Amino acid sequence: QEFAVNMKENARELRNTIASLGGLDEEELLNKKIAYSSNENIATATYIGPSETADDIPLYEIEVKSLASPQINMGKFLPGEASVTLTPSTYSFGVGIDDLNYEFQFNIKSTDTNRDVQERLSRLINNANIGMSAQVITDENGNSSLRMESDATGLKEDKPYLFKISDNQTSKTAGAVQYFGLDYIASPSSNASFVINGEELSTASNQFTLEHNYELQLTGV
């Protein structure tokens, strides 16, 4: 009885696995095509084309020279527990990203430390969900900095950056951008550079489609 129950459960699990891979239609399942990579540390491949294709499936040789990367801004490292030396007031700064401009306003009190304000700015940026993230990092000496990173990678042809931070034209008190070093681009974004069958190519993302039949994800160089 135990053997029969186990066999039934295994059969059900196998059926569910087959269904998840390509359906239960025998003819469709046997004709299903997949793509594979000989080195997934460099790139992974998924077949996304139609099932009706020619029998001569092509072979692609890929050399990845560099991966697409996000933009990273790194603020000044300031003594985390020291008081902010900015005058208590309502401050603001603008972020330009994806051809849109956002203004962030925040208060600085006389009792605030540098880390207090950095964490406040980190929450403001993360909660805004505008295509970038921020976190406060600390060095071995207890100094803290605000690290900001774009969600997107690559570069647009008409812009040398993915996001820009400034308080030159702000509605409230200026000075926080310079004090915390928010506008310093520590690592600019870059496009992926690779060669497919001898042809040099470049994309803004590490994930792209090839010949409308394959989805490639670059994972290493």
Side-chain angles (χ1 to χ4, degrees):
Q1 285 181 334
E2 183 179 355
F3 174 77
V5 170
N6 288 337
M7 185 168 64
K8 181 180 179 182
E9 290 300 320
N10 289 335
R12 181 182 290 112
E13 183 177 347
L14 176 60
R15 184 179 187 277
N16 292 337
T17 301
I18 293 174
S20 67
L21 289 175
L24 298 173
D25 185 284
E26 293 182 14
E27 183 176 350
E28 181 180 340
L29 179 61
L30 292 175
N31 288 331
K32 188 173 180 64
K33 293 178 172 62
I34 63 170
Y36 73 94
S37 167
S38 62
N39 187 348
E40 294 195 345
N41 292 323
I42 300 298
T44 61
T46 304
Y47 182 75
I48 59 174
S51 58
E52 301 82 9
T53 58
D55 293 332
D56 53 337
I57 304 300
L59 177 68
Y60 297 98
E61 185 175 280
I62 302 176
E63 175 190 356
V64 182
K65 295 184 176 182
S66 64
L67 295 175
S69 63
Q71 175 181 327
I72 298 175
N73 280 28
M74 186 71 70
K76 296 177 182 177
F77 277 92
L78 302 170
E81 301 306 317
S83 298
V84 179
T85 59
L86 290 172
T87 303
S89 181
T90 299
Y91 289 80
S92 62
F93 62 88
V95 177
I97 185 170
D98 290 335
D99 297 323
L100 297 172
N101 291 297
Y102 304 89
E103 184 176 90
F104 293 90
Q105 298 183 8
F106 59 100
N107 295 320
I108 292 182
K109 305 186 294 291
S110 59
T111 55
D112 282 334
T113 65
N114 289 317
R115 188 177 182 91
D116 288 337
V117 180
Q118 288 166 338
E119 290 179 344
R120 192 172 302 148
L121 295 179
S122 176
R123 290 192 297 270
L124 277 174
I125 293 173
N126 290 331
N127 291 337
N129 193 26
I130 62 173
M132 59 183 293
S133 59
Q135 64 177 132
V136 179
I137 60 175
T138 307
D139 65 12
E140 63 277 6
N141 298 318
N143 300 315
S144 57
S145 169
L146 187 64
R147 182 185 186 275
M148 294 149 287
E149 180 176 335
S150 63
D151 295 342
T153 57
L155 280 175
K156 296 181 179 179
E157 294 182 358
D158 58 336
K159 285 188 177 180
Y161 54 83
L162 287 179
F163 65 88
K164 183 177 182 180
I165 299 177
S166 173
D167 57 6
N168 292 334
Q169 295 178 332
T170 188
S171 63
K172 302 297 182 181
T173 306
V177 170
Q178 180 179 2
Y179 178 84
F180 291 103
L182 305 181
D183 56 348
Y184 173 65
I185 301 178
S187 178
S189 59
S190 62
N191 294 332
S193 176
F194 51 95
V195 180
I196 297 183
N197 288 355
E199 181 182 1
E200 295 215 15
L201 299 169
S202 177
T203 62
S205 172
N206 292 315
Q207 184 173 351
F208 58 93
T209 57
L210 178 65
E211 302 293 340
H212 303 291
N213 288 325
Y214 306 95
E215 183 174 86
L216 270 62
Q217 174 74 47
L218 304 182
T219 55
V221 298

